[in-house]
Structure formats: structure tokens, C-alpha cells
Amino acid sequence: MLGTFTYCNPTKIIFGNDALDHLGGELAKYGKNVLLVYGGGSIKKNGIYEKVLSVLKAAGKEVYEDGGVMPNPTVEKLYEGCERAKAANADLILAVGGGSVCDYAKAVSVSAYCKDDPWQKYYIRFEEPDCKIIPVGCVLTMVGTGSEMNGGSVITNYAEKLKIGHVFGEQVFPKFSVLNPEFTFTLPKYQMIAGIYDIMSHILEQYFSGSDDNTSDYLSEGLLRSLIHSADIAVKNPLDYEARSNIMWTATWALNTLIAKGKTTDWEVHMLGQAVGAHTNATHGMTLSAVSMAYYRYIFNYGISKFSRYAINVWGVTAEGKTEKEIAEEGLLRMETWMKDLGLTMRLKDLGVTAKMLPDIAKSTLVMDGGYRVLDRADILAVLKASL
Ligand code: NZQ
Ligand code: ZN
């Protein structure tokens, strides 16, 4: 563990099948006006909306609604949310939904009173907020992004063909998050497995960097093994509470800053996936699964020790009589087989991408420098071509 860092995670987590019972206690800490933010309507179908509303009413809150947050929330919706938050004079933004809803709530929280254009300030210039920030709380219904316990907020600008995440500081983390694994039971299988792969990708983005002996890597391996184990159970029986609860908790720890400690971290898979998302509006986890194998096969030789360690410690590859390269390749093959068995999208063409679109997608891809190899534009195009 050779890096230097500070660590603080201010989000209070309320976890379990009775978690919503504790929402009232959290609400009491904030003023009367609550902006209730949600997505396209799943919470109205599965009854979560009614449950949350009755807690809000019992707590004596004045509820203002901002529904219709789309998957991969847009900059136009963000502008609309700012107006709603100001009109409500919101004391708290309560996000009820998945990563998109939580991300959007955070974006509104720092944008409503921002004097500048928030897209330019936060997503192009990457500046930090210098205005009043409205506190955010979450009731999570979709597992994967880790947004419930981090400062991440991803916004898509289709006109500019950019999907960009800003990782805000502690003051923007949700103040509390209600995590009831049963609230994820109604997720369609496609979303459930996309979320599972999003979790895996978050862990790998942090794991595949650096070469020091780092506790973060041991934590990552444990999280990955738990995830693989529980995913295999959940995909056969989505109502298995134990498996779904493990997946939910793994997702939170996969991206709440802990396993990044002492790491440079990579994030190139996410940059590729986000560029694909900006051109297709595809489901986030599937954009990652479609590019991952091509990317890892492109770079693994540059981080061969970590890739062979991954094969042994996560995928159970035996080392005897094999070179590091053979071990690493076997690990990647096992990973690929597992992904296919889970039902993940393995090809960009299955997300509506055509060969003609690739140069533009490559142009929208941000280049990161914390992984085992820094790609140039030609490398990025090669990875995208191999993913098609
Ligand atoms: O909109 P509704 O009707 O609620 O339907 C949603 C949506 O269609 C549905 N859903 C959610 N909970 C459900 C449910 N359907 C039935 N039952 C439930 N209980 O699922 C669909 C997807 O939801 P969404 O919130 O878009 O998914 P996810 O949680 O994967 O969030 C994706 C967004 O998060 C960003 C992504 O880029 C994307 O914009 N990310 C945020 C990160 C962060 N904050 O740190 C990191 C991630 O890497 C990621 O980039
Ligand atoms: Zn992700």
C-alpha cells in the first residue's frame, strides 16, 4: 500500500428488508419541502411509490414531484430539474430509483443554485460546486452503479454526443441511502445482469492498476468472488433474497471509494462504454460488457502479473506448469464464458452500433492514464473494432 490518501464516506446506509421503516427518522432531519425524484414509472407499478409517499406524508412533508428521469439522464432533464427544485424551495431531494435517478438527484442538487451553466461548469470544465447544495437521500431500486454511496453523477448530452461523469466530493454524497434488496426483485433480467456486470467492471477498473502489494486488491478479489457466487444463484432464482442482498451490498462497496485507496485506477472500459452510450443510449452495464473482453485482451500483456493473479485468485485457474501469459489468458477465457452464460451483451453490434459509427465513438472516448497501458486514438478504434 504505497499510495497516500484520506478516507471519509459520509453516507449513512440503512440496509435490509425493513430499511424503509427507518426513512422517517432520516426525513426528520430536514425541512418541510421534499422534491421526490423518480424514473419512468417502475416504482408506481411495483408499489414502492405508494410506500415512500406514505412515509413522507407521515413525516409531515410537503411533497413536490419530479418524475420521468430517463435511464442515462440528459442535460435537458437536468435543466428542468433545477427549475423544479427551485420552485419547490426543496430542503431535500429524495431519489427513488436506480443509478440514473440517484445521479440526476445529485446533479440537480449542485445545479439548482449554480450561477453558471452546470453542464459547462461540472461536466466540461470539471469545476467543483461553489453554490448552495441541496441535500440528497436515496431509496435504491436497481443495483449496480454504487451511486447510493458515492459522489458520482453521470449526465448525457446527446447533441454533443458526450456522456460524462463528474465525481463530486463528500458534500455531494447522499446523506443517507435506504437499501432494501426486495425492492430490486421486480427488475427485468436484462437490467439485473447489466447491473451485475457494472459492479464487476467497477471492481476491475480499480483492481487493474498499480503493482504494489495493496489491501485494496485483496478486498477486490473477495468482492469479485462474492459477486460471481451470488450472480450465479440470482440468475437462476431472482427472488433469492440472500443472493440479491449480497449483490446489493457488493455493488455499494465496489464504488464507494474504499477499494480505490492507494490505487491509480484505470476506468478506460467505462470511458469506452460511456462513448458507446452517448451514441446509442444503450444500457450502461451492457456497453461495458460489450467492450471489456476486447479491451482486456488488448492490454493484459502490460499488466501480466495482475492478470495472472486475477485468474488464480478470482477464477480458480491453476498455475502449475503454465506461464503467466497462459494463466492470464485462461482467466480471461473463464471470465468471458461466465459473462456469456449470464446472458450479457458481448458485441457492440447487438447494441445498435455499426462499423460506420466507430470513428465517431472513438472520438467521444476520453483517454485515461491510470491503467496498464495508455491508449491512443488508434488503439481505441482497434478495441472498438474488436468489440463490434
Ligand atoms: O425509470 P424506471 O421506470 O424506474 O425504470 C428503470 C430503468 O428503465 C428500471 N428499474 C429500476 N428499478 C427497477 C426498475 N424496473 C423494475 N423494477 C425496479 N425495481 O431499470 C432501468 C434502468 O435504471 P437506471 O437507473 O438507468 O440503471 P442504473 O442503475 O444502471 O443507472 C445507470 C446510470 O448510472 C450511471 C450510468 O452511466 C447511467 O447513466 N453510472 C453512475 C455511476 C456513479 N454514480 O458512480 C457509475 C456508473 O459507472 C455509471 O456510469
Ligand atoms: Zn459503471
Side-chain angles (χ1 to χ4, degrees):
M1 194 98 186
L2 301 180
T4 58
F5 55 85
T6 62
Y7 178 72
C8 171
N9 193 314
T11 303
K12 176 173 179 178
I13 297 289
I14 304 158
F15 191 96
N17 56 7
D18 67 349
L20 200 64
D21 297 348
H22 303 277
L23 175 61
E26 295 309 310
L27 293 176
K29 298 174 187 168
Y30 302 91
K32 206 170 165 53
N33 299 330
V34 176
L35 186 70
L36 176 62
V37 172
Y38 54 92
S42 69
I43 63 163
K44 291 199 169 162
K45 284 192 210 117
N46 59 24
I48 295 171
Y49 172 84
E50 286 302 330
K51 287 182 188 152
V52 170
L53 207 60
S54 73
V55 178
L56 284 163
K57 292 284 173 205
K61 300 296 176 185
E62 199 68 56
V63 180
Y64 299 83
E65 297 205 13
D66 182 9
V69 179
M70 60 294 284
N72 313 316
T74 63
V75 68
E76 290 81 9
K77 178 69 186 162
L78 170 59
Y79 296 144
E80 184 195 313
C82 291
E83 293 313 313
R84 284 176 189 252
K86 277 190 290 191
N89 195 17
D91 298 306
L92 176 75
I93 302 176
L94 186 65
V96 185
S100 293
V101 173
C102 298
D103 278 18
Y104 168 82
K106 287 181 233 174
V108 172
S109 82
V110 293
S111 301
Y113 297 102
C114 176
K115 295 207 167 40
D116 233 321
D117 172 15
W119 170 256
Q120 289 296 328
K121 181 178 174 73
Y122 301 129
Y123 296 92
I124 299 295
R125 300 199 302 272
F126 284 96
E127 291 170 13
E128 295 312 314
D130 48 15
C131 60
K132 173 180 157 187
I133 299 171
I134 307 169
V136 170
C138 301
V139 177
L140 197 67
T141 67
M142 150 94 199
V143 165
T145 64
S147 189
E148 65 275 14
M149 202 182 188
N150 70 34
S153 171
V154 183
I155 295 293
T156 302
N157 186 326
Y158 288 110
E160 293 181 19
K161 294 261 183 284
L162 290 173
K163 180 178 184 184
I164 296 180
H166 187 126
V167 181
F168 290 99
E170 286 149 30
Q171 75 279 26
V172 186
F173 281 43
K175 301 293 174 217
F176 61 86
S177 283
V178 171
L179 271 55
N180 180 345
E182 284 175 0
F183 286 2
T184 68
F185 281 177
T186 53
L187 271 173
K189 184 186 172 201
Y190 187 82
Q191 292 296 340
M192 178 181 80
I193 60 173
I196 288 169
Y197 190 70
D198 193 19
I199 303 166
M200 178 171 275
S201 181
H202 293 160
I203 303 170
L204 296 181
E205 298 272 32
Q206 298 165 90
Y207 181 76
F208 287 131
S209 68
S211 57
D212 57 336
D213 186 28
N214 188 326
T215 298
S216 295
D217 291 333
Y218 297 86
L219 291 170
S220 292
E221 287 163 359
L223 289 172
L224 285 165
R225 289 170 62 175
S226 170
L227 178 69
I228 294 162
H229 172 76
S230 295
D232 289 344
I233 297 168
V235 80
K236 287 193 196 83
N237 179 13
L239 300 185
D240 188 306
Y241 179 87
E242 200 174 19
R244 296 302 287 270
S245 65
N246 280 324
I247 293 169
M248 190 172 221
W249 196 221
T250 303
T252 303
W253 285 91
L255 195 52
N256 70 359
T257 76
L258 177 78
I259 62 167
K261 293 305 160 206
K263 307 282 302 177
T264 52
T265 73
D266 185 351
W267 295 107
E268 197 57 50
V269 168
H270 269 67
M271 295 308 109
L272 288 155
Q274 283 175 203
V276 171
H279 287 258
T280 60
N281 191 23
T283 296
H284 172 65
M286 296 307 190
T287 65
L288 307 175
S289 59
V291 299
S292 283
M293 292 319 303
Y295 175 69
Y296 287 131
R297 291 201 166 107
Y298 201 80
I299 62 135
F300 82 98
N301 267 315
Y302 299 86
I304 193 75
S305 298
K306 183 57 75 61
F307 276 89
S308 76
R309 172 177 164 171
Y310 170 63
I312 295 165
N313 291 353
V314 176
W315 295 103
V317 173
T318 52
E320 222 181 323
K322 295 172 196 158
T323 63
E324 269 194 327
K325 184 162 188 266
E326 285 164 345
I327 298 165
E329 281 173 338
E330 201 176 322
L332 288 178
L333 191 61
R334 288 202 194 180
M335 175 183 170
E336 184 176 44
T337 306
W338 180 81
M339 290 169 73
K340 285 181 183 162
D341 288 349
L342 208 62
L344 291 163
T345 305
M346 303 300 287
R347 295 261 148 225
L348 285 177
K349 65 173 166 18
D350 296 330
L351 298 174
V353 175
T354 61
K356 219 174 127 211
M357 291 162 72
L358 294 182
D360 278 344
I361 296 176
K363 244 186 261 163
S364 307
T365 305
L366 304 185
V367 175
M368 307 304 278
D369 61 5
Y372 290 123
R373 173 150 176 217
V374 182
L375 303 187
D376 62 23
R377 284 291 147 206
D379 294 322
I380 286 172
L381 194 55
V383 171
L384 288 169
K385 279 185 179 158
S387 306
L388 193 62

